[in-house]
Amino acid sequence: MRGAMIYAPGDVRVEDRALPTIQAPTDAIIKVVAACVCGSDLHPYRGTEPVDEATPIGHEYVGIVQEIGDAVRAIKVGDFVVGSFMASDNTCEICRAGYQSRCVHGEFVGANGAQAEYLRVPLADGTLVATPSLPDEDLIPSLLAASDVLGTGWFGAVAAEAGPGKTVVVVGDGAVGLLAVLAAKQLGAERIIAMSRHESRQKLALEFGATDIVEERGDEGVARVKELTSGLGAHSVIEAVGTQESMMQAIRSTRPGGHVGYVGVPHDGQLPSGELFFAEVHLLGGPAPVRRFLPELIDLIWTREIDPGKVFDLTLPLEQAAEGYKAMDERRAIKTLLRV
């Protein structure tokens, strides 16, 4: 089969790889219909995470079940499925509490490389969710978004307790940040302030439900948020970047007693304990338990109440994955969809 491999920073190649096989009775093999490039895939691409050897890459996927292990009961061959980027049994105590991304038996599906023609999904019963039937072609991008960026943005909004009567700030205008705007809107937020300097991303944020755009960053961005919130700060802030600057901007934009949901993958940030102590804000975040939200998100997409697939502004065949990475790295694309 054909699949993407990362060899070194800036070096992604699509090449022949061995077909995956069932390795455990809880596995499933799917024929990937669509995959995509994640912002977190750019970390090794940019060299901020080490690449020691040629490695399969990609962790967002939708596809059709081709084969199942003997212990798989919840899905069947022929099902169109959406899966989380983290495999989970969905039965352990941590999963039952709603944190499937920290399942005691969890595995990172991306280790198998989802930017490929076929993918082995561990713990298939707890990881994959089948759609009611084969989806219409135009629903595939939105279903693909549910496998990570929509679920991650949704978790950021839930962690920040976005809801009716709330003012929500979203720090970050990548795919996760933009879909956090959509999530906050769907959860009933009264006012949504999107922080963005890019016109195309501002336009999509407004389409997803943002009521205000703030272009300033850092202390200037915090001052602007305070100005828009009578000097108090927002009730809910979603951090979707992962830098120390973005995290501090999120915390400082939150009113005392407010909530920060942080879902940006962090890189070497250090938070000042004294400032945190006196900020008196709630902090909740981490890798999103996408599996918790998948049934609800699939239903919202299936009934066409939301259209998160708009976040894909570049579609390429799998063979052109390297160009998809380059376009995102150069910020010529918000998010690249790869058709398989």
Side-chain angles (χ1 to χ4, degrees), residues 33-106:
V33 171
C36 53
V37 181
C38 184
S40 61
D41 293 331
L42 296 181
H43 293 308
Y45 185 81
R46 289 169 172 163
T48 54
E49 289 180 2
V51 182
D52 298 322
E53 59 184 359
T55 305
I57 195 165
H59 55 264
E60 299 165 282
Y61 58 95
V62 294
I64 298 173
V65 178
Q66 302 293 295
E67 185 180 358
I68 57 175
D70 292 341
V72 176
R73 298 288 182 268
I75 60 168
K76 63 184 185 299
V77 171
D79 281 348
F80 188 97
V81 291
V82 184
S84 167
F85 61 89
M86 289 296 295
S88 60
D89 59 26
N90 208 32
T91 59
C92 78
E93 188 171 343
I94 303 302
C95 285
R96 293 198 307 271
Y99 289 87
Q100 292 92 334
S101 51
R102 299 291 294 153
C103 174
V104 297
H105 301 116

Side-chain angles (χ1 to χ4, degrees), residues 18 24 38 72 83 134 188 212 216 235 272 313 316:
C38 184
V72 176
L134 290 178
D212 302 84
E216 295 86 350
H235 302 93
D313 56 349
L316 296 171

